[in-house]
Amino acid sequence: MIKKKLITLFISVFVLFSFCGCLSEFLEDEPERYPVEQEDEAEDDDTGLPDWDKDYVDMFMDLGPITDFSLKTIEGTEISADIFKNSEVTMLNIWGTFCGPCIQEMPGLGEIAAERDESEFQVIGVICDVESESSPTFNDAIDIINDTKAFYTHVIPSGDFMYKYMSVVDAVPTDIFVDSDGNILYVYRGGLSKSDFDDIIDAVLLMKSNRSNE
């Protein structure tokens, strides 16, 4: 009887430690799953840019420049990669109508788009859950844009852009920074405040300027 109790106790302790180990691994993954909370702890000394998600950045970098696409804006206007030539740096803000953090940061992005010189920086919203004007979420997207005053270009992803670049996106919001030739400079995953956006935009512009002078 005592032997049986000892065996039962041993099994219980083993299961408890196993569970704690799994929980520990889960918690270690939390900074990657919720990057905004870790923003102050992860910063690259050379660029001033958060570098906690380097693997995520590298996945996009491996795809090469964003070129040769034809997308429609939410108003129905066709655009191509030539739109990048309007600015030194363009930020593609990938968002969804279902995404609370995406919507929360859009008023700040609207202000940034209005304040920044377009020849230096521009924002393009990419609505991940709208496929066409007939999508159930199309009108929701328009309402959100108007409500948040996010009055910058918003596009509907499709074709090669959808299959090549959007297929790598594993969370929204995701921000892809590109230069005037569509070369990817930096990628950030997670919601940001306006002041945080300003800091990252300035860091990306400085990084691009330093590269140009090398």
Side-chain angles (χ1 to χ4, degrees):
M1 187 68 175
I2 295 175
K3 184 177 181 182
K4 185 177 181 181
K5 287 183 178 179
L6 287 173
I7 292 173
T8 302
L9 178 62
F10 175 79
I11 293 173
S12 299
V13 172
F14 177 81
V15 170
L16 177 62
F17 273 96
S18 298
F19 175 78
C20 290
C22 292
L23 181 59
S24 175
E25 291 178 4
F26 175 78
L27 291 175
E28 288 175 1
D29 289 341
E30 286 297 279
E32 187 167 338
R33 295 175 66 226
Y34 301 99
V36 179
E37 299 175 2
Q38 301 298 316
E39 180 186 333
D40 294 335
E41 298 179 12
E43 186 171 290
D44 185 309
D45 292 335
D46 295 327
T47 64
L49 293 166
D51 64 352
W52 57 266
D53 57 352
K54 186 177 183 301
D55 290 341
Y56 195 54
V57 176
D58 289 344
M59 282 195 297
F60 285 91
M61 295 287 194
D62 290 343
L63 296 176
I66 302 177
T67 57
D68 300 326
F69 64 79
S70 178
L71 301 175
K72 280 189 176 182
T73 68
I74 201 160
E75 293 84 14
T77 304
E78 288 195 7
I79 66 167
S80 68
D82 287 341
I83 195 171
F84 295 151
K85 298 190 182 302
N86 295 341
S87 305
E88 291 180 34
V89 171
T90 297
M91 186 184 80
L92 299 171
N93 173 249
I94 301 171
W95 65 281
T97 62
F98 58 88
C99 171
C102 300
I103 297 169
Q104 289 173 8
E105 68 182 14
M106 287 171 69
L109 287 176
E111 292 177 14
I112 289 172
E115 294 168 359
R116 295 267 178 171
D117 187 337
E118 188 181 16
S119 65
E120 180 183 64
F121 178 80
Q122 67 178 337
V123 184
I124 297 176
V126 182
I127 317 166
C128 69
D129 60 333
V130 174
E131 297 178 2
S132 68
E133 293 180 3
S134 60
S135 295
T137 51
F138 180 81
N139 289 329
D140 292 337
I142 292 177
D143 289 342
I144 290 168
I145 291 167
N146 289 329
D147 289 345
T148 60
K149 295 181 171 56
F151 299 135
Y152 42 87
T153 300
H154 293 267
V155 299
I156 299 171
S158 61
D160 290 342
F161 184 90
M162 182 68 164
Y163 293 113
K164 186 174 182 180
Y165 296 98
M166 295 294 289
S167 63
V168 180
V169 176
D170 65 7
V172 292
T174 284
D175 302 302
I176 306 172
F177 295 82
V178 302
D179 66 15
S180 56
D181 294 319
N183 297 305
I184 296 174
L185 302 170
Y186 182 67
V187 182
Y188 187 88
R189 173 178 50 182
L192 291 168
S193 66
K194 180 179 182 294
S195 61
D196 290 333
F197 267 121
D198 278 323
D199 289 343
I200 287 182
I201 291 165
D202 289 339
V204 172
L205 285 167
L206 179 60
M207 178 179 67
K208 180 185 179 299
S209 176
N210 290 339
R211 288 181 180 180
S212 299
N213 293 331
E214 289 178 355

